[in-house]
Amino acid sequence: MLQAKGVSHKFDYELFKDINLQLHQQESIAIIGMSGSGKSTLLNILSSLLKPNSGSVLFKDNEIYKLKKSKLLNIRREDFGIIFQAHYLFRGFSAKENLDIATLLSSNEVDMNLLKTLKIEHVLTQGVGELSGGQQQRLSIARVLTKKPKIIFADEPTGNLDKETSLLVMDALFNYIKENNAGLILVTHEENLAKRCNKTYKVVDLKLEEIR
């Protein structure tokens, strides 16, 4: 479904080189590594947000960075779901209005069972600014999943959450990929979360090593 071939990238210094990776349907991959090793940059490259210096990223056998901009934007909008550490919600809107935006863009209905799993079904009428940080993060994840993406790219989605809420979030993500024949690429520093994925890779010495 998604494949990286010989991906290399650098800023003022070399970040990583010749990275190869494959993601299949109903598969989850964790990427771990030290701070500054390039985990988030690699996720941005895989999710179409940053073009690598060299190498290619293929989605359904199409090299995404060789596509027309309109086609790439369409894939990003319809097929990719990107979860950031920051929630990027519309603060002047209610929780429900934030979800409604996703339904307008995708023509999908909000899954009330998902909201119940994330324990946010009771906050729909509240303004974003009235929600706790954990509720905002769960709302942002619900908004992403409402699009029904083929691949979820998650950058430390539980980094600011307590243990119980982290479990809710990860259960929702793993249930989603199983029920929707999707895939998940997760950047995390939490080993317990990484162990729940089918494969774990570590960015070390400019390379991506499969460690499990």
Side-chain angles (χ1 to χ4, degrees):
M1 185 162 53
L2 185 79
Q3 185 175 11
K5 292 183 177 181
V7 169
S8 301
H9 199 73
K10 62 181 178 180
F11 297 112
D12 294 331
Y13 57 92
E14 196 164 37
L15 199 58
F16 46 72
K17 60 182 180 182
D18 196 28
I19 282 181
N20 299 286
L21 181 74
Q22 275 191 305
L23 176 73
H24 303 284
Q25 292 174 321
Q26 293 193 8
E27 185 177 42
S28 54
I29 290 176
I31 300 175
I32 63 174
M34 295 179 61
S35 296
S37 61
K39 304 185 300 297
S40 294
T41 299
L42 177 58
L43 195 75
N44 287 340
I45 289 171
L46 297 174
S47 63
S48 80
L49 297 179
L50 176 66
K51 185 176 181 180
N53 294 138
S54 61
S56 57
V57 178
L58 290 82
F59 174 65
K60 294 183 176 179
D61 297 324
N62 293 308
E63 291 193 36
I64 63 173
Y65 290 109
K66 289 187 177 180
L67 297 173
K68 292 182 179 179
K69 185 176 180 180
S70 60
K71 178 66 174 176
L72 179 58
L73 290 174
N74 194 52
I75 288 174
R76 189 182 299 163
R77 183 176 64 250
E78 296 184 359
D79 298 302
F80 291 176
I82 306 172
I83 300 171
F84 301 96
Q85 293 185 58
H87 50 72
Y88 295 115
L89 296 169
F90 296 101
R91 296 192 64 83
F93 289 56
S94 69
K96 183 180 183 301
E97 288 169 333
N98 271 271
L99 292 172
D100 286 343
I101 292 170
T103 66
L104 288 172
L105 292 174
S106 64
S107 299
N108 296 323
E109 296 295 325
V110 176
D111 184 351
M112 289 304 298
N113 288 326
L114 170 64
L115 302 186
K116 290 177 181 177
T117 298
L118 292 171
K119 295 186 177 181
I120 55 172
E121 77 280 4
H122 60 288
V123 305
L124 295 182
T125 60
Q126 292 180 239
V128 167
E130 299 173 325
L131 304 180
S132 69
Q135 288 171 330
Q136 290 178 10
Q137 181 69 338
R138 281 176 278 161
L139 177 62
S140 71
I141 290 169
R143 187 176 62 177
V144 168
L145 298 187
T146 295
K147 296 196 317 174
K148 300 293 185 184
K150 300 294 189 302
I151 303 177
I152 300 167
F153 302 89
D155 190 0
E156 299 280 7
T158 63
N160 298 317
L161 304 178
D162 58 51
K163 185 177 180 180
E164 181 180 355
T165 308
S166 295
L167 289 174
L168 290 178
V169 165
M170 294 313 301
D171 285 346
L173 292 179
F174 284 117
N175 288 340
Y176 176 86
I177 65 171
K178 182 179 180 181
E179 294 171 0
N180 294 274
N181 211 27
L184 168 67
I185 299 181
L186 168 71
V187 166
T188 183
H189 67 277
E190 300 180 47
E191 291 187 8
N192 288 337
L193 294 186
K195 288 178 181 177
R196 293 186 63 179
C197 294
N198 299 120
K199 296 178 182 178
T200 301
Y201 291 85
K202 185 174 185 179
V203 182
V204 59
D205 296 331
L206 308 182
K207 298 288 186 178
L208 189 67
E209 297 182 0
E210 184 175 353
I211 61 174
R212 190 181 63 81

